[in-house]
Amino acid sequence: MSTAVVVGSGPNGLSAAIVLAQAGLDVTVVEAAETIGGGTRTEQLTRPGLLHDVCSAAHPTAQVSPYFRSLPLADHGLRWAHAEVEAVHLLDGGRAGVLHRDLEATAAGMGPDADRWRRLFGPLVGREDRIAEDVLGPILGVPSHPTDLVRFAPRAVLPVSVLTRRWRSDEARSLMAAFAAHPVTPLDRPTTGGIAMLFGMLGHAGGWPVAVGGSAAITTALAGVLGDLGGRIETGHRVRSLPDADLVLFDTDPAEAIAVAGSRVSGHVRRALSRWKHGPAAFKVDLAVDGGIPWTHPDARRAGTLHLGGTFEQVHAAEVAVQAGRMPERPFVLLCQQYLADPSRSVGDLHPVWAYAHVPYGWTGDATEAVLAQIERFAPGARERIVDVAVRTPADLAADNPNYVGGDITGGASTVVQTVLRPRPGLDPYRLGPGLWLCSSSTPPGGGVHGMAGFHAATRAVRSLR
């Protein structure tokens, strides 16, 4: 029997291990931490009993992931839940752009841009499964559903600033800005239009759900499937030399994979990966809030995901600053109220609130006050309800998960080159050398909880044995 070792137990590593086990290989996953899951974990970070997601929170790509949908994850306890409102981007003056799963309900709140919203997303809804199958894979490849992809791709390559240049309402423009800002990038860069379209399409298709019990439930389900197939998981073991196996897959940062693989990686691959660039960082703030946050906008009190950043121009200015290494006074903040969909995360009227701000790569300052100020901006009186705060700086994130180099939780800078040619130019971007493969979020399709990088890398690895 052929053997395989997967280094790292994030959702991509576990997905890769399942593919290998399904193919009949003897599979071992090796994890440096004592707990599996990478960024897909849940802990009690503030008060006892309050469940906070360590990194990943809302999961639009997980629910539509072709590979996740092929697995019996529900048999291992995974259940999805939705808040009444999928997402809200808050504006000053009590206004907001509101994303509902219902396309018409969303368009109705876009004022003069209602028809533009319908024309952009209407042709995509109902085709999201086929579009996702092509989008969640290497860009340089033959699409499986070209007819459906053509509805998406031509505008997807545009900057979101160009895609929305004729839009007139702050509600519509700011919500698109928030979608596009998720990978931490200025809004005038090519392909940001595609990011915004993807998040909007998924919001109208399956929504932005949370995993009941916390994001760790995704990890538990994946590990359960792997266990049923005979795969093993070892924790508390940092891999420092190349394991003795027919296949070794790395759910790690490219530099970590190169360091372990050593001379087994050719010179040209090593040089290409050495040019990999990391993006800006996250500064995470978890709150224990008595009675929830008193948002000015009523839909924000019902929303699972909130964006705190103001107008399109304000979001763009904040993203430009962090890309340039400057900390903005008003950073873009992503905030989740998972307890609205999953009350099991709360203790009585004490609720966990998850938030992070975009900050410069490797930033060493304290953004706690900036995050709280953005919350207070749209929810006066919120500070009075906060009873506990837990902070993770970029350095803390990197110490907790070595893949988060400099606090970059996205797997690498979202430049045009790294979006199209991640992690390096080549017909097989996952291959490092004979028997060696990279399967982390630094490979296509990039960050997010969907397991598709692991699926694609492992599928190619299995073929190499035949």
Side-chain angles (χ1 to χ4, degrees):
M1 178 183 291
S2 297
T3 59
V5 171
V6 179
V7 181
S9 68
N12 283 315
L14 292 174
S15 294
I18 293 170
V19 172
L20 298 168
Q22 288 173 325
L25 278 74
D26 182 8
V27 182
T28 302
V29 177
V30 182
E31 169 59 49
E34 296 297 335
T35 305
I36 64 172
T40 313
R41 292 179 290 133
T42 304
E43 297 178 357
Q44 298 182 42
L45 299 176
T46 54
R47 295 296 177 89
L50 295 189
L51 301 181
H52 296 268
D53 289 328
V54 168
C55 187
S56 67
H59 300 286
T61 57
Q63 186 165 263
V64 78
S65 166
Y67 190 56
F68 280 5
R69 293 176 73 167
S70 75
L71 300 174
L73 299 179
D75 293 347
H76 293 273
L78 181 59
R79 292 187 292 124
W80 299 112
H82 294 264
E84 292 182 56
V85 176
E86 297 302 322
V88 170
H89 182 87
L90 291 160
L91 296 161
D92 293 313
R95 299 173 299 144
V98 182
L99 175 69
H100 300 275
R101 268 178 284 171
D102 183 82
L103 176 64
E104 286 301 319
T106 302
M110 298 306 170
D113 293 319
D115 285 340
R116 292 185 176 93
W117 194 274
R118 293 186 188 99
R119 288 196 300 269
L120 180 62
F121 289 108
L124 306 179
V125 176
R127 298 177 172 86
E128 64 277 354
D129 289 347
R130 297 186 294 275
I131 292 172
E133 186 176 340
D134 286 320
V135 171
L136 297 179
I139 291 179
L140 299 180
V142 178
S144 300
H145 306 284
T147 303
D148 296 297
L149 190 61
V150 78
R151 298 174 183 271
F152 182 88
R155 285 174 290 187
V157 300
L158 298 173
V160 71
S161 58
V162 172
L163 185 64
T164 62
R165 64 184 172 185
R166 295 181 181 175
W167 295 29
R168 291 181 287 165
S169 74
D170 279 339
E171 287 80 1
R173 295 183 75 243
S174 66
L175 189 55
M176 289 289 283
F179 295 163
H182 273 243
V184 201
T185 185
L187 307 182
D188 57 359
R189 288 188 175 178
T191 73
T192 53
I195 296 165
M197 290 171 63
L198 177 64
F199 278 108
M201 177 188 74
L202 296 179
H204 290 313
W208 293 14
V210 302
V212 174
S215 294
I218 302 172
T219 298
T220 299
L222 289 169
V225 174
L226 178 61
D228 286 349
L229 294 167
R232 298 177 300 279
I233 300 176
E234 298 177 2
T235 59
H237 177 195
R238 182 71 177 267
V239 175
R240 301 187 184 280
S241 59
L242 198 60
D244 182 16
D246 297 301
L247 296 176
V248 180
L249 281 75
F250 294 90
D251 182 15
T252 69
D253 177 72
E256 179 81 4
I258 291 174
V260 172
S263 61
R264 288 275 299 275
V265 178
S266 68
H268 79 276
V269 172
R270 182 182 299 274
R271 287 189 295 273
L273 292 180
S274 69
R275 293 190 286 270
W276 183 252
K277 296 180 180 179
H278 288 282
F283 188 103
K284 190 161 184 285
V285 179
D286 286 283
L287 308 172
V289 183
D290 188 8
I293 296 176
W295 303 107
T296 302
H297 196 283
D299 282 334
R301 301 175 204 149
R302 304 186 296 130
T305 300
L306 299 172
H307 304 111
L308 315 181
T311 64
F312 186 107
E313 291 75 19
Q314 290 170 334
V315 173
H316 177 58
E319 297 301 280
V320 168
V322 298
Q323 285 285 339
R326 304 189 308 271
M327 180 63 197
E329 180 180 353
R330 286 180 163 181
F332 179 79
V333 174
L334 184 65
L335 183 145
C336 287
Q337 304 175 135
Q338 300 99 315
Y339 69 90
L340 292 175
D342 177 16
S344 70
R345 302 180 185 222
S346 301
V347 177
D349 288 332
L350 193 61
H351 304 299
V353 173
W354 174 108
Y356 72 74
H358 293 173
V359 303
Y361 172 83
W363 193 61
T364 58
D366 187 348
T368 308
E369 178 57 33
V371 172
L372 297 180
Q374 285 286 65
I375 295 173
E376 189 78 14
R377 173 184 176 185
F378 302 108
R383 291 176 187 270
E384 298 173 7
R385 300 192 182 189
I386 297 171
V387 300
D388 205 352
V389 179
V391 168
R392 289 193 175 185
T393 68
D396 293 332
L397 292 171
D400 182 64
N401 188 334
N403 284 1
Y404 298 158
V405 179
D408 171 14
I409 63 173
T410 63
S414 297
T415 64
V416 176
V417 172
Q418 290 198 168
T419 298
V420 177
L421 301 175
R422 73 191 293 131
R424 63 180 180 87
L427 294 177
D428 190 344
Y430 307 95
R431 189 175 184 274
L432 295 174
L436 305 179
W437 307 79
L438 188 65
C439 67
S440 68
S441 59
S442 297
T443 65
V449 178
H450 41 64
M452 292 303 292
F455 167 76
H456 289 300
T459 299
R460 286 161 171 75
V462 170
R463 289 175 186 161
S464 73
L465 294 177
R466 295 172 182 167

